[in-house]
Amino acid sequence: PQAGTESRIWREVVRLGQDLDVLSPIRGSRVVSDVAMLWDWQSWWAQRLEWRPSVDLDARERAEAWYAAAYDQHLTVDFAHPEADLSDYPLVIVPALYVMTDAAGANLRRYVEDGGTVVVSCFSGIVDESDTIHPGPHPGALRDVLGLTVEEFTPLPAGHRVRLDNDTTGTVWSEVVTLQGAEQVWSYLDGPAAGLPAVTRHTYGCGSAWYVSTCLAEDGLDVVLRAAIAPTTLVPRDLPRDVEVVERAGTEGRYLFAINHTDDSAAIHVGEAGRELLTGDDVIDSLHVPAGGVRVVFRSW
């Protein structure tokens, strides 16, 4: 840079190159994610066409909201096609999948039957790949696995909210839901569906399927996710909100990345001994990550 090789930016770039060299064994390792989030571009395009019940219900906004909620729970997320193999994921989130093929619907049913947990948001499974409504009551492609029918879509006026009986709120959307085997978890306190189910859970085969019939605010999404992951193999991490911890699996062992996005240092419980690659320090049980810093712990198999 203009300031020469004695400048801070020069030293930082040189240090980055050194760090990347130290981390070279990580090449070829992979993140084994906790959650699959289903996304289909054709579904998003179709939902954005005219003559939908509400122009305010945006599939991408819902995907981003659910992703943020999973991030806040320190869950790693893969985006997956609705017809992809989901068997390796303890949890699947369907944030807004207006278009769902018969194959995708069968894929989700099989996943839940085999013991998986799925969380489905409103206005999903409505039409097939030709934008033709699935036969029978909504949501046609998911009716059996969710254990319910949607009698009526009741979108909310701009700026309006509905209250749920768990002290959370929803916006944009609500539905008149009739239980067909599912159980009510939380209900609407007001709005066009007052007194009716807002969030449901259905035991299907060896797994369970959750349905959220409104656009929950951030606190509501957190509540649903915590409840949904409780019976799964996922273990909630006790971490500050903006400290990100991700593990990669390689041929020689595991690499735990800890990224501190906050302005304060953080201590992370790692559970087993390892070696921090960037500093060379041995880690026994607790890892110190400075404010704005990154640490990478290697633990052999």
Side-chain angles (χ1 to χ4, degrees):
Q2 187 68 31
T5 58
E6 299 302 318
S7 62
R8 182 181 67 174
I9 192 169
W10 175 270
R11 290 191 296 270
E12 288 178 347
V13 171
V14 170
R15 176 60 187 270
L16 175 61
Q18 294 170 343
D19 288 346
L20 292 176
D21 186 52
V22 169
L23 297 179
S24 60
I26 291 171
R27 285 197 298 261
S29 63
R30 296 192 62 184
V31 174
V32 180
S33 292
D34 303 313
V35 179
M37 183 171 294
L38 302 191
W39 180 259
D40 181 9
W41 287 106
Q42 284 77 14
S43 178
W44 182 54
W45 295 331
Q47 188 173 329
R48 289 167 59 88
L49 295 174
E50 295 181 344
W51 311 114
R52 302 301 179 236
S54 173
V55 296
D56 296 323
L57 183 62
D58 182 4
R60 179 165 177 168
E61 183 278 330
R62 282 293 85 192
E64 291 175 351
W66 281 100
Y67 183 91
Y71 175 88
D72 288 342
Q73 296 287 330
H74 304 287
L75 300 172
T76 50
V77 178
D78 284 341
F79 282 87
H81 190 272
E83 297 178 17
D85 181 9
L86 305 172
S87 58
D88 289 336
Y89 298 98
L91 179 67
V92 171
I93 298 175
V94 185
L97 204 59
Y98 166 71
V99 172
M100 183 170 286
T101 64
D102 289 337
N107 190 36
L108 270 182
R109 288 194 297 274
R110 183 168 54 251
Y111 166 77
V112 177
E113 280 181 330
D114 291 342
T117 299
V118 64
V119 178
V120 180
S121 190
C122 54
F123 206 48
S124 293
I126 306 302
V127 301
D128 64 16
E129 64 272 26
S130 300
D131 204 17
T132 301
I133 295 174
H134 287 286
H138 298 308
L142 296 171
R143 192 169 54 237
D144 294 340
V145 70
L146 293 177
L148 55 80
T149 58
V150 176
E151 293 185 11
E152 186 180 353
F153 302 130
T154 52
L156 304 176
H160 283 230
R161 290 180 174 269
V162 287
R163 295 181 299 125
L164 278 61
D165 62 358
N166 64 342
D167 296 324
T168 63
T169 61
T171 61
V172 177
W173 190 269
S174 64
E175 295 174 346
V176 175
V177 171
T178 300
L179 302 179
Q180 303 286 349
E183 60 176 312
Q184 174 180 296
V185 180
W186 296 297
S187 64
Y188 292 105
L189 291 179
D190 54 20
L196 298 177
V199 178
T200 66
R201 179 179 56 223
H202 184 221
T203 300
Y204 189 80
C206 297
S208 60
W210 291 70
Y211 186 62
V212 180
S213 63
T214 185
C215 295
L216 289 174
E218 180 180 323
D219 57 344
L221 298 178
D222 289 342
V223 170
V224 170
L225 276 185
R226 283 197 299 270
I229 68 175
T232 72
T233 57
L234 297 176
V235 179
R237 286 186 169 127
D238 184 19
L239 295 170
R241 175 171 177 159
D242 288 323
V243 174
E244 186 176 4
V245 176
V246 177
E247 189 170 77
R248 303 183 66 90
T251 56
E252 302 296 325
R254 292 161 296 158
Y255 301 89
L256 185 142
F257 280 75
I259 307 174
N260 187 353
H261 298 285
T262 75
D263 295 328
D264 300 308
S265 62
I268 297 173
H269 175 71
V270 295
E272 56 185 287
R275 181 169 54 89
E276 205 290 309
L277 298 181
L278 298 178
T279 63
D281 295 337
D282 291 331
V283 177
I284 304 301
D285 182 65
S286 182
L287 174 66
H288 173 76
V289 186
V294 178
R295 291 292 181 263
V296 183
V297 178
F298 172 73
R299 294 173 290 184
S300 60
W301 292 113

